[in-house]
Amino acid sequence: MAKTQETVLEINLNHLEHNYRYLSSKIKSSTKFLAVLKAFAYGSDAIKIAEKLEALGVDYLAVAYTKEGVALRKSGIKIPILVLHPQAINFNLLLKHQLTPTIYSQKILDSFIKSAQNSGQTAYPIHIKFNTGLNRLGFAEKEIEVVSDQILQTTAIKVTGVFSHLAASEDLNEKHFTQAQLRSFENITQKFCHNLGYTPIRHLLNTSGITNFSEAQYDMVRSGIGLYGFGNEAHVDQLLKPVATLKTIISQIHTIKPNETVGYNRAFAAKTFKTIATLPIGHADGIGRIYGKGKTWVYVNGKKAFIIGNVCMDMIMIDITNIPCNEGDEVIIFGENPNASEFSASANTISYELLTGISQRVKRVFTKN
Ligand SMILES: *Cc1c(COP(=O)(O)O)cnc(C)c1O
């Protein structure tokens, strides 16, 4: 890849393929694979990622909201797309684009049945979500009967999937909690499927579920972060390849004297002579103020350069004292080293937040190298 001349997020589709194959190797060949593409495929590019995964034979895609699914359909994606958190106001749009809604509450079930009936559907596919301890979305165990009875009373919809979501699959200190979730899912789905009279596909595991609890893979797994190269644990990260690399260049270099300050609020004060570089990337691009004031570093010609002072909207300043470099040189914010997991950890957050926060202002470029 040629050196960049501006801020770009480089997306490596070969790394995506590597991660998909690695994660697939952790499950049975008969288990379906759902790729989670919410939030622009974790900040990369949902359409390019979907096209690649569809070509690789992924079974299902998932997004959070209806309009994310519509964008994929408009780009020609044909495989099933599960909408994880649909809102009733979007049901007509969802039906029009043959997206599969997650039905997670009585209110959403009532209104989806109405929409499906009004548009003359028969056996429109839905997935039912149960809450097994995350306490975010999903029916409670005690609602099994009411829900299954109501579903059996209409021909407009048909349950093609039933699922739940783990709260702490990445944390082996919470193993007992996760195992209780696994048992709860088993009980709930047994009762629910018995009431329905058929067994739709069942799915429970996210990326860390695949790596830590593969015995509970059921008929399908749902992976997001793993496809993009992170496994929530350093030893898993090593087996995966980061899909996204955030790169920029040095816009300008300044030499500053002792007692001079850098940036807004004069947040960095030089004690000695310093050489600093200004980069064309800031909190409006997704590198938040949390990364400023010496907390985090980037790489300039293979050397660590700390972010100094406050992160501005469109710029950050880094300390390049003793790093041989010139205006125009490439700077790696995160990629293989530091990776998004390490970079985000320096500010006490996680790769998910960093990746999905890279704003749409940053140009996405694609590579296969
Ligand atoms: C985001 C999400 C996933 C993907 O989780 P990862 O940890 O990124 O693999 C799976 N299932 C649901 C319901 C989600 O919301």
Side-chain angles (χ1 to χ4, degrees):
M1 192 87 190
K3 296 259 172 188
T4 190
Q5 301 190 57
E6 60 178 334
T7 301
V8 296
L9 189 72
E10 194 178 283
I11 313 294
N12 189 318
L13 296 173
N14 281 353
H15 287 186
L16 176 71
E17 177 167 353
H18 168 90
N19 299 334
Y20 171 65
R21 294 200 192 287
Y22 173 78
L23 293 161
S24 299
S25 77
K26 297 281 132 190
I27 55 174
K28 293 186 219 139
S29 60
S30 56
T31 303
K32 291 183 196 298
F33 197 110
L34 176 151
V36 181
L37 268 64
K38 57 200 185 194
F40 303 104
Y42 288 47
S44 59
D45 181 302
I47 292 171
K48 285 282 191 343
I49 299 284
E51 287 169 351
K52 177 76 182 177
L53 291 169
E54 193 177 46
L56 287 171
V58 105
D59 299 282
Y60 257 85
L61 302 176
V63 292
Y65 301 116
T66 301
K67 79 172 198 192
E68 297 177 299
V70 172
L72 293 176
R73 282 284 182 256
K74 284 189 171 163
S75 78
I77 298 296
K78 296 281 186 291
I79 57 178
I81 300 174
L82 180 62
V83 181
L84 294 166
H85 195 180
Q87 305 298 322
I89 192 172
N90 303 124
F91 281 159
N92 288 336
L93 195 60
L94 180 146
L95 288 161
K96 178 175 166 207
H97 291 279
Q98 291 173 299
L99 304 169
T100 306
T102 294
I103 302 298
Y104 51 86
S105 71
Q106 188 62 58
K107 189 169 190 295
I108 282 290
L109 177 61
D110 293 342
S111 83
F112 191 72
I113 289 176
K114 273 201 199 95
S115 298
Q117 285 171 339
N118 289 342
S119 77
Q121 304 289 336
T122 45
Y124 192 91
I126 65 168
H127 285 213
I128 296 286
K129 186 170 194 181
F130 282 99
N131 175 21
T132 53
L134 180 59
N135 291 322
R136 195 172 72 170
L137 284 185
F139 289 103
E141 181 166 8
K142 64 175 193 285
E143 294 176 287
I144 291 175
E145 243 166 74
V146 185
V147 171
S148 48
D149 287 352
Q150 191 176 351
I151 290 167
L152 290 171
Q153 275 161 27
T154 171
T155 54
I157 58 172
K158 165 130 184 160
V159 182
T160 53
V162 52
F163 73 107
S164 185
H165 195 32
L166 299 175
S169 58
E170 75 287 357
D171 184 355
L172 292 178
N173 294 320
E174 294 289 359
K175 199 171 175 180
H176 293 294
F177 183 85
T178 302
Q179 282 165 340
Q181 280 198 280
L182 304 188
R183 283 194 300 276
S184 165
F185 185 68
E186 176 63 29
N187 287 336
I188 289 173
T189 54
Q190 269 190 24
K191 281 188 211 153
F192 181 66
C193 299
H194 179 261
N195 284 8
L196 278 183
Y198 58 90
T199 302
I201 57 174
R202 292 181 289 172
H203 49 107
L204 177 60
L205 303 181
N206 63 344
T207 299
S208 291
I210 297 170
T211 55
N212 292 328
F213 300 94
S214 70
E215 70 275 13
Q217 62 192 264
Y218 289 95
D219 308 302
M220 182 159 81
V221 295
R222 305 184 303 270
S223 178
I225 200 73
L227 287 170
Y228 308 104
F230 299 95
N232 299 316
E233 286 165 277
H235 78 273
V236 185
D237 286 357
Q238 274 163 23
L239 299 164
L240 300 169
K241 296 183 178 179
V243 166
T245 299
L246 184 61
K247 293 177 169 179
T248 187
I249 60 166
I250 294 177
S251 289
Q252 191 175 15
I253 292 176
H254 298 278
T255 305
I256 57 167
K257 298 199 259 314
N259 298 321
E260 280 197 274
T261 60
V262 176
Y264 287 132
N265 317 109
R266 308 184 66 203
F268 176 82
K271 294 199 179 76
T272 55
F273 280 89
K274 289 278 177 197
T275 314
I276 63 158
T278 302
L279 313 180
I281 184 168
H283 63 71
D285 302 291
I287 302 301
R289 283 170 59 100
I290 186 95
Y291 295 104
K293 295 189 176 175
K295 272 215 195 76
T296 310
W297 60 94
V298 299
Y299 272 80
V300 178
N301 295 332
K303 300 246 161 45
K304 259 188 191 181
F306 281 84
I307 299 176
I308 56 171
N310 280 318
V311 170
C312 313
M313 186 187 297
D314 315 304
M315 283 172 251
I316 59 180
M317 278 69 87
I318 58 174
D319 182 354
I320 53 161
T321 312
N322 301 324
I323 301 177
C325 58
N326 295 301
E327 291 175 356
D329 281 3
E330 187 171 273
V331 178
I332 304 294
I333 309 286
F334 62 77
E336 306 240 13
N337 186 19
N339 70 32
S341 178
E342 296 158 342
F343 188 92
S344 57
S346 69
N348 270 324
T349 181
I350 56 174
S351 58
Y352 298 71
E353 183 181 12
L354 176 63
L355 292 171
T356 59
I358 302 307
S359 78
Q360 294 298 302
R361 185 165 80 172
V362 176
K363 183 176 168 190
R364 272 63 175 167
V365 297
F366 299 88
T367 171
K368 292 183 174 171
N369 301 316

